[in-house]
Amino acid sequence: EAKKIGFNKYVFFNEQINAILQRNLKLEILLRKAIYDKEFSLHYQPQFSIPDNSLIGIEALLRWNSPAEGSIPPSEFISIAEETDLIIPLGEWVMNRAIRQIAEWNNRYQTTLKMGINVSIKQLNHKEFGEMIKSAIKFYAVPPEWIDMEITESIAIEDAYDIHEITKTIRDIGISVSIDDFGTGYSSLNHLKMFPFDRIKFSKLSIDHIVNDEFDKEIVRSIIVLANFMKIKTIAEGVETAAQYDVLKELGCDQIQGYYLAKPMPAKEFEKVFFSLPQQLILENSSVNSSI
Ligand code: C2E
Ligand code: MG
Ligand code: MG
Ligand code: MG
């Protein structure tokens, strides 16, 4: 009997893995084709400073709309793109698209907003990464201060030295660097000491329970104290409620991003919501002294 259950489980497990592998293979094939088919777009989510709620930055988030599979979330395709190295051309497309967008907006609306661009470790390790960024900012004639690179925290310690060097290269260009998804990975505090970052981005998970869980709240408080000491900024992402907002404000978190204030949206909609105000209001609300 036990053997039979074991066998069934094994078969079931195998089928599940098989289904995942099939799906990933299918996505890989679609992904290879998609990059050249222009099925990608960027959505933009605003970032605000606390407590005045002025717009200070924007995060570019990749969207894939496949004619064959419909809309596929980044959580499904980014890892495949990384494993297959397709993240290199795709990341370059994101970089150019996002830089072009911030050039257009900051020039047209006389703002100095920062565009946050997600980059994966695979991209950072690519030998032409530095040159790629330099040529993109040159091509669109943007000051490097208009760009922020979001690097996810889950960096294996073995890669730490290389990442340190690349982060330095990016910052030498004048582009700021944020450490993304902070608080969920490992060696968080070690990373703070090791890397020359400009901003910590608290992950959604690390702030989800700050309203009811004293311990989670104290962890965030401690990291903010540490960040202040290191003269780096803090931003919380995934903020969904007024109660969370109030706690973050009380803790002295510098900035905020999340559904509570605004969801990611297409460029046209972003313009309508954030740039259709009278000029006077734009200047008052958006930071002329943006300082991520
Ligand atoms: P991330 O960089 O940490 O981005 C934040 C994610 O949280 C986004 O998911 C965003 O839509 C979502 N989010 C924002 N506010 C809220 C909220 O209040 N509640 C909830 N539940 N979610 C919120 P998205 O767009 O699905 O992206 C997922 C991840 O995929 C990103 O996490 C990032 O790691 C990766 N990614 C997205 N675009 C790119 C890209 O262009 N390049 C690379 N390398 N990675 C990307
Ligand atoms: Mg991010
Ligand atoms: Mg992330
Ligand atoms: Mg994040």
Side-chain angles (χ1 to χ4, degrees):
E1 186 61 28
K3 225 176 192 173
K4 195 176 157 213
I5 291 167
F7 179 72
N8 282 342
K9 260 194 189 155
Y10 177 73
V11 169
F12 176 67
F13 187 56
N14 237 344
E15 271 171 7
Q16 258 191 342
I17 289 190
N18 207 25
I20 292 168
L21 288 178
Q22 289 295 329
R23 167 84 174 156
N24 284 355
L25 191 63
K26 188 171 177 186
L27 291 186
E28 181 187 335
I29 292 164
L30 290 174
L31 204 51
R32 281 186 193 282
K33 204 170 140 278
I35 288 168
Y36 306 99
D37 281 350
K38 305 204 163 67
E39 292 167 19
F40 293 97
S41 64
L42 293 181
H43 279 196
Y44 300 95
Q45 189 177 28
Q47 302 174 341
F48 302 92
S49 67
I50 310 178
D52 61 336
N53 291 343
S54 64
L55 179 66
I56 48 102
I58 304 166
E59 179 173 12
L61 294 158
L62 190 55
R63 295 292 176 260
W64 180 17
N65 193 17
S66 155
E69 292 288 304
S71 120
I72 302 161
S75 56
E76 247 190 284
F77 71 82
I78 292 288
S79 59
I80 297 172
E82 283 170 351
E83 282 156 24
T84 54
D85 277 349
L86 288 166
I87 195 70
I88 303 301
L90 186 54
E92 187 171 352
W93 180 86
V94 169
M95 193 73 61
N96 280 279
R97 193 68 199 76
I99 293 177
R100 186 177 108 192
Q101 190 62 73
I102 201 61
E104 188 186 316
W105 282 341
N106 276 344
N107 287 319
R108 191 193 297 154
Y109 301 107
Q110 296 295 299
T111 46
T112 55
L113 301 169
K114 271 201 194 246
M115 181 65 83
I117 303 172
N118 291 288
V119 286
S120 69
I121 301 304
K122 197 76 176 251
Q123 287 173 269
L124 291 178
N125 280 327
H126 191 66
K127 56 187 187 315
E128 271 137 48
F129 187 73
E131 286 311 309
M132 189 265 280
I133 302 173
K134 276 188 212 160
S135 69
I137 59 174
K138 201 171 154 198
F139 187 83
Y140 292 107
V142 297
E145 295 76 30
W146 289 0
I147 303 164
D148 182 69
M149 300 258 156
E150 297 194 2
I151 301 173
T152 296
E153 190 223 339
S154 55
I155 302 161
I157 237 39
E158 312 89 72
D159 299 331
Y161 177 76
D162 292 342
I163 302 303
H164 186 274
E165 289 301 300
I166 297 154
T167 308
K168 243 172 56 193
T169 307
I170 297 171
R171 293 182 84 236
D172 284 347
I173 298 172
I175 292 171
S176 60
V177 174
S178 295
I179 183 163
D180 205 348
D181 295 333
F182 194 84
T184 41
Y186 38 100
S187 345
S188 305
L189 296 176
N190 262 334
H191 281 151
L192 282 191
K193 201 177 160 192
M194 287 166 68
F195 301 120
F197 283 110
D198 299 278
R199 184 171 70 162
I200 288 173
K201 235 184 147 173
F202 288 113
S203 71
K204 182 175 181 303
L205 277 175
S206 66
I207 59 116
D208 265 347
H209 305 291
I210 48 169
V211 176
N212 299 314
D213 188 320
E214 279 297 315
F215 188 74
D216 282 11
K217 181 175 167 180
E218 289 313 310
I219 289 178
V220 171
R221 190 200 302 276
S222 311
I223 294 170
I224 290 173
V225 169
L226 199 56
N228 288 340
F229 169 75
M230 297 175 76
K231 300 200 163 47
I232 57 183
K233 297 278 178 186
T234 51
I235 180 168
E237 76 178 344
V239 179
E240 295 183 341
T241 67
Q244 284 175 320
Y245 180 100
D246 289 342
V247 171
L248 288 160
K249 184 171 158 181
E250 173 204 326
L251 297 180
C253 186
D254 298 305
Q255 303 158 1
I256 211 149
Q257 178 182 350
Y259 294 174
Y260 171 60
L261 293 157
K263 288 194 172 180
M265 56 191 103
K268 279 270 166 303
E269 194 182 332
F270 194 96
E271 265 174 40
K272 239 186 5 214
V273 176
F274 295 101
F275 296 124
S276 63
L277 295 163
Q279 194 62 30
Q280 193 51 41
L281 268 177
I282 293 169
L283 290 176
E284 274 170 20
N285 288 336
S286 73
S287 61
V288 182
N289 55 344
S290 161
S291 54
I292 289 181

